[in-house]
Structure formats: structure tokens, C-alpha cells
Amino acid sequence: MGMLDGKRILITGVLTDASLAFAVARRAQAEGAEIVLSGAGRGLSLTRRTARKLDPAPDVLEIDVTSDDQLAAAGSVLGERWGRLDGLLHAIGFAPPVCLGQGMFAAGWDDVTVALQVSAYSLKALVGAFRPLLEEAGAGGGASVVGLDFDATVAWPLYDWMGVAKAALESLARYLARDLGPRGVRVNLVAAGPVRTMAAKSIPGFPEFEETWRQRAPLGWNVHDADVVARACIALMSDWLPMTTGEVLHVDGGVHAVGS
Ligand code: NAP
């Protein structure tokens, strides 16, 4: 029996087979879930190609989280298809290049607002679009929203406005957990250590993160292993953590717990 038998889950953020969300999708299917993916903009065709590497190949919806129309359309499609949504993975992040690696004074509001909208506010936009479906599952035993995070309790080298966006994401997850808990919907984040994905390539300080993890992770850390992150997401989407919400679960080899 799989941990997600009978569950219906929407997984955003699959771009390539290196995406953290791809590892979640593969694990979710292996644990018995029925999944649908979403992709956005120019990456949509890449998401469709990557979906064919899954078995069975899931359908792909177009959801740019900055488009209210696309969010509403996706809500209708899944409403007709499933009538409820047991799980939702938010695996979305983007900041204009000036927001990373140039200190806090280079980017202006026009750029910062994009980083905050796509990387933090998008959790509210996404959850809002599927709220009736999540609440339907919540009434029937529980629904789980999981987002991917990078520990935002400290300032990192070069992460700059993306770090601020992640701090907003962490706070937002707690507020959504407050609002949706009474409807049976849990909202949690997984704060992952560095894994080499497309998004990671656009982070100028990524090699420094890798070095930090190499030196400090009590459990060690493999930057090519997205599956350790995926397994934590699956656990949060399963029925095994029914009283956990508003949590940031660190899947970082223990780096967050040690000083140096
Ligand atoms: P990834 O494979 O590049 O995935 C990032 C995803 O965000 C892509 O699918 C991208 O799609 C999507 N996205 C960007 N703008 C979007 C928009 N407007 N609407 C909808 N989707 C949009 O990289 P990843 O590393 O797996 O990142 C997934 C999440 O994990 C991010 O939140 C990231 O911050 C987080 N995370 C990553 C690491 C790491 O080391 N890799 C560590 C901790 C947390 P398009 O490119 O098509 O726009």
C-alpha cells in the first residue's frame, strides 16, 4: 500500500527532470497518487516534455502564477476532473537577476516586486485558486499544501532579495495555516539544502552554498539528490503528519542546527 493511495495532487514547478518538483512527482506516483502537473510561459513545452518521463505521463496545465485568468481556468479544470484536491506542491521561485548577488541596494521596487510576487505571493494566489477543492478534501479527511523554501531565518551571501522573498513565503505559510486549519487544510514548507536545478544555476552564490553544506552538514549533503527533499514532501502530503501545519521542516542535512 502506498502512502498516497487515492490522493489527487497538483504539482507545480516541474521544468526538467532535475527539478525538485520532478522528484516529488515521481515519488507521489510511486506512492499511489494521481497527479497533474503545471507549467508556465516559455517553460511550458519543457514541462510537457519532462512529463513524458513519468509513468503514467500526467496531464500538464498552464499556470503562470501571475495570471489570474490561468489560475481561475486551472481551478475549473481540476474542479470538473477531480472535485477535490488532496495535495498541492508549490515549487515556484523567480527573481530578476539584479535581485541576486549584487547586494540589497542594486534592485529597485520594479524588480523586487516581481521576486516577491512570483516567489511568495504566488503561494496565496495558488492556494486561493484551488481553495474550494482543498476545502472539499479537508472536509473529507484532510488536504495538504507543501511549499519549497530555503531557510530564511538568517542572511546568506548573495541570496539577497530572494532571501527576503523566502522570509515572506515562510510568514505567509503560517498565516495560510491559520486561515485554512479550521477547514482541514494543512500548509507547510520544506526548507531544502542546495540541489543543482535550473533555478540553482541562476543563483550566483550557489557554489558557496555547496561549500557551506560540505563543511557544515552533520549528516552530509549530496547536491544531486532531490529525492531526500521529495520524500519529506510526500510525508507531509500523506496522512502521517495530520496535526502538523504552519511548520518549516528542514531537509538540509542538519545545517540549520549548527553554528559553524
Ligand atoms: P526549477 O527546476 O528551475 O523550478 C523552478 C520553477 O518555478 C520552474 O518550473 C519555473 O518555471 C517556475 N516558475 C518561475 N516563474 C513562474 C511563474 N511566474 N509561474 C509559474 N511557475 C513559475 O528549480 P528548483 O530548484 O526545483 O526550484 C523549485 C523551488 O524549490 C523554488 O521555490 C526554489 O526556490 C526552491 N528551492 C530550491 C533549492 C535548490 O537548491 N534547488 C533549495 C531550496 C529551495 P519556468 O522556468 O517555466 O518559469
Side-chain angles (χ1 to χ4, degrees):
M1 194 177 141
M3 286 174 79
L4 300 181
D5 272 349
K7 294 203 185 291
R8 293 159 168 183
I9 296 174
L10 174 65
I11 296 178
T12 69
V14 172
L15 191 60
T16 68
D17 58 7
S19 297
L20 294 176
F22 182 82
V24 177
R26 196 170 42 197
R27 273 277 170 193
Q29 288 186 319
E31 293 299 330
E34 192 181 340
I35 64 169
V36 165
L37 309 184
S38 72
R42 279 181 298 166
L44 182 62
S45 58
L46 196 46
T47 301
R48 291 213 163 99
R49 218 177 312 149
T50 305
R52 286 189 225 122
K53 297 183 181 177
L54 292 163
D55 186 19
D59 287 342
V60 178
L61 301 177
E62 181 172 20
I63 307 179
D64 182 324
V65 285
T66 65
S67 165
D68 289 341
D69 289 347
Q70 289 182 15
L71 284 162
S76 303
V77 169
L78 282 193
E80 277 172 33
R81 178 176 176 148
W82 282 342
R84 65 167 212 273
L85 190 61
D86 303 300
L88 171 59
L89 180 77
H90 177 284
I92 293 167
F94 172 77
V98 69
C99 290
L100 288 143
Q102 298 179 41
M104 301 312 288
F105 296 100
W109 177 238
D110 284 354
D111 291 308
V112 170
T113 192
V114 173
L116 292 176
Q117 183 183 13
V118 176
S119 309
Y121 178 84
S122 60
L123 181 65
K124 175 262 177 187
L126 205 56
V127 169
F130 298 102
R131 189 173 165 191
L133 302 180
L134 289 164
E135 291 184 354
E136 186 65 32
S144 172
V145 176
V146 178
L148 294 178
D149 181 30
F150 190 71
D151 182 15
T153 56
V154 294
W156 295 100
L158 305 161
Y159 204 48
D160 300 352
W161 284 103
M162 197 64 193
V164 177
K166 289 300 191 192
L169 182 74
E170 290 182 358
S171 178
L172 175 58
R174 286 187 285 271
Y175 278 96
L176 291 174
R178 178 199 68 181
D179 284 358
L180 295 174
R183 313 307 293 254
V185 182
R186 311 187 302 280
V187 183
N188 294 289
L189 299 181
V190 169
V195 179
R196 282 195 201 165
T197 62
M198 285 293 267
K201 280 187 190 143
S202 59
I203 297 174
F206 201 77
E208 283 190 40
F209 291 143
E210 291 191 7
E211 184 56 20
T212 301
W213 259 255
R214 199 185 61 72
Q215 289 177 7
R216 287 179 39 194
L219 291 172
W221 186 254
N222 177 356
V223 294
H224 300 287
D225 187 3
D227 192 53
V228 293
V229 179
R231 280 150 69 185
C233 295
I234 299 303
L236 285 166
M237 286 179 179
S238 78
D239 296 331
W240 287 92
L241 291 160
M243 282 295 131
T244 298
T245 197
E247 187 65 273
V248 178
L249 176 63
H250 291 85
V251 180
D252 64 351
V255 165
H256 72 283
V258 295
S260 67

